[in-house]
Amino acid sequence: MRVYCPFCKKEVEYKIEKRDIKEFRGIEINTYENVAICKECHQDLYVNEIEEKNNERIYELYREKANIIKPQDIIDLRGKYDISQRELTAILGFGKMTINRYERGGVPTKSQSDYIKLLIDNNDKFIEKVKEAYKNNNINEKIYEKIVSKELNNNITKKEVQDNIRKYLKFVLNRKPDIYNGYKTLDIEKIENIISYIASKVKNLTITSLNKYLWYIDMLSFNQRSIAITGLTYQNQKFGPTIVDKKYDEISLLDEKYTREDIETENGNTTKIISNGNYNLDKISDTERKIIDTIIKILKNKSVTDISELSHKEEGWRKTKRFERISFEYAMKLNIVK
Ligand SMILES: [Zn+2]
């Protein structure tokens, strides 16, 4: 292991010494660095490969401890709006080549990293920055319009997809009021708000139990007022009453008011429904709210299996065949509120 020593002014042998590094850029990292030392004059020597290895280790720890963004995060942000490194640098107002350096593994300062992270997480903030950069002539009109229209497109596409699911659901689930929808016209918006509301009150709401919640709510409503709340039609399924033709699948994909989360468990996959907390109960009357709360109170602390078993005791389920629609006539004999 020989290297040039600028102090001895000749090629020398060197040894490696480990030194503790407690912090880097003000963040505690507790690691070490290898330092090459001249065996003759005992001065520190610079050896490229050793320094690179040190930096790699220190940067990685620092990134992790200080929660610094990764090169890929920046590449993804550029990909989303289809912009170059130079354009992104101009939008952020950083020095020339900054983004290029970060994408090649250079470590941003904590404040620059936090700033980029904010813009990655918040589209509106990013667009705001783009407008500012355009106003200050840091980017040209073409780039500006490309980014803004891309953002617009992203939003429209998402809204369109959601509206198409709603249209589809109305098409397949809506019928004239009869004994199978509890003499109620289908109201998708109301259903979305009720689901969000239930999910906000019930921990670990799965799609299987959600079907029972909705069925019980409609049945209790019909029992008390001779009209259901949601306008949904239900059928006999193995684990109890469910929305007909598995349309709960599409309903769970509407994600303005709640989000679905598929999780793997020991007994297979389950789908959880998580409230976004933005439900609106304006279209739900006090009486309806009371009915919904009653069912939540009864089922809330029961397991999926218990809820399923409870529904198996109901005449509405017992007296219908598998896949047959469940008539609201059975609401008069509801077990759960007896
Ligand atoms: Zn030396």
Side-chain angles (χ1 to χ4, degrees):
M1 299 196 289
R2 294 180 74 84
V3 71
Y4 179 78
C5 174
F7 307 99
C8 303
K9 299 201 188 326
K10 60 173 185 178
E11 288 247 322
V12 295
E13 294 249 339
Y14 68 86
K15 54 181 181 178
I16 300 282
E17 193 182 287
K18 257 187 195 176
R19 281 185 204 152
D20 288 342
I21 297 203
K22 295 236 175 299
E23 58 163 59
F24 180 72
R25 291 187 185 171
I27 299 286
E28 203 179 299
I29 53 170
N30 288 321
T31 182
Y32 64 92
E33 62 177 344
N34 288 321
V35 185
I37 294 167
C38 171
K39 275 193 177 172
E40 294 182 30
C41 70
H42 304 289
Q43 296 273 11
D44 291 4
L45 297 176
Y46 178 84
V47 180
N48 201 28
E49 310 96 77
I50 297 177
E51 286 303 319
E52 271 179 9
K53 286 230 168 80
N54 284 336
N55 284 342
E56 223 173 87
R57 189 174 47 250
I58 291 165
Y59 285 175
E60 202 182 307
L61 274 166
Y62 173 73
R63 260 188 213 283
E64 201 180 301
K65 298 259 160 115
N67 197 12
I68 301 290
I69 52 164
K70 297 185 184 67
Q72 192 59 44
D73 298 333
I74 302 177
I75 297 170
D76 290 346
L77 174 64
R78 285 200 303 106
K80 184 172 168 192
Y81 295 102
D82 187 23
I83 48 176
S84 70
Q85 292 180 337
R86 204 194 308 167
E87 285 153 11
L88 182 57
T89 303
I91 291 164
L92 300 180
F94 289 171
K96 251 188 192 170
M97 298 299 285
T98 315
I99 289 300
N100 177 281
R101 210 168 57 236
Y102 292 165
E103 284 189 14
R104 284 186 295 116
V107 182
T109 61
K110 175 77 175 137
S111 70
Q112 280 193 334
S113 167
D114 287 346
Y115 173 56
I116 299 171
K117 197 175 274 176
L118 171 79
L119 298 181
I120 289 174
D121 293 342
N122 188 330
N123 293 341
D124 292 347
K125 275 262 182 312
F126 183 75
I127 296 298
E128 213 173 273
K129 272 281 145 202
V130 171
K131 285 181 181 158
E132 213 178 286
Y134 174 57
K135 225 171 60 191
N136 297 332
N137 285 321
N138 293 331
I139 55 168
N140 64 38
E141 192 174 345
K142 223 173 110 191
I143 308 284
Y144 168 73
E145 278 179 355
K146 181 171 78 182
I147 298 172
V148 173
S149 70
K150 271 223 184 297
E151 176 63 17
L152 230 53
N153 264 331
N154 285 346
N155 284 338
I156 287 171
T157 327
K158 193 166 177 295
K159 206 183 170 315
E160 266 175 6
V161 170
Q162 292 277 305
D163 281 343
N164 281 337
I165 299 176
R166 286 189 189 98
K167 267 187 216 151
Y168 166 78
L169 284 167
K170 272 179 204 159
F171 180 71
V172 292
L173 289 177
N174 196 19
R175 284 192 331 280
K176 278 188 184 145
D178 62 16
I179 194 67
Y180 293 104
N181 54 24
Y183 293 102
K184 175 82 182 70
T185 319
L186 186 80
D187 189 336
I188 298 283
E189 199 194 323
K190 203 171 174 186
I191 294 169
E192 288 177 61
N193 282 304
I194 292 176
I195 294 175
S196 176
Y197 177 69
I198 299 172
S200 77
K201 304 275 170 196
V202 181
K203 256 191 232 162
N204 295 318
L205 182 69
T206 66
I207 209 152
T208 316
S209 355
L210 175 63
N211 272 284
K212 276 85 200 159
Y213 274 89
L214 293 171
W215 182 69
Y216 269 124
I217 284 167
D218 278 330
M219 286 296 260
L220 183 60
S221 170
F222 197 85
N223 175 295
Q224 294 182 356
R225 319 178 301 156
S226 301
I227 187 164
I229 293 177
T230 69
L232 285 165
T233 307
Y234 302 87
Q235 71 180 165
N236 176 311
Q237 287 272 8
K238 194 176 168 199
F239 296 109
T242 61
I243 297 165
V244 277
D245 304 327
K246 298 194 171 171
K247 291 299 171 260
Y248 48 83
D249 240 348
E250 281 83 0
I251 291 178
S252 75
L253 287 173
L254 297 168
D255 66 358
E256 238 175 75
K257 304 275 171 182
Y258 45 82
T259 326
R260 65 177 267 173
E261 195 182 275
D262 296 308
I263 40 171
E264 282 178 45
T265 69
E266 288 163 17
N267 312 314
N269 293 347
T270 2
T271 302
K272 265 177 72 175
I273 304 290
I274 296 137
S275 176
N276 294 349
N278 56 347
Y279 53 82
N280 179 348
L281 302 182
D282 288 354
K283 281 178 75 188
I284 290 157
S285 70
D286 287 346
T287 324
E288 290 175 331
R289 168 90 179 258
K290 258 184 210 146
I291 291 166
I292 296 167
D293 284 338
T294 305
I295 295 301
I296 291 176
K297 208 177 152 199
I298 297 173
L299 300 183
K300 176 172 187 180
N301 295 316
K302 294 193 163 54
S303 69
V304 186
T305 322
D306 288 348
I307 294 176
S308 205
E309 275 170 15
L310 210 59
S311 76
H312 286 174
K313 288 182 187 141
E314 298 292 349
E315 267 197 24
W317 188 80
R318 283 194 294 117
K319 298 218 163 152
T320 45
K321 296 194 183 86
R322 187 63 38 89
F323 307 129
E324 215 172 64
R325 290 183 300 176
I326 301 174
S327 165
F328 274 88
E329 284 169 280
Y330 296 110
M332 300 312 157
K333 296 176 177 170
L334 214 51
N335 248 321
I336 197 176
V337 284
K338 267 181 192 158

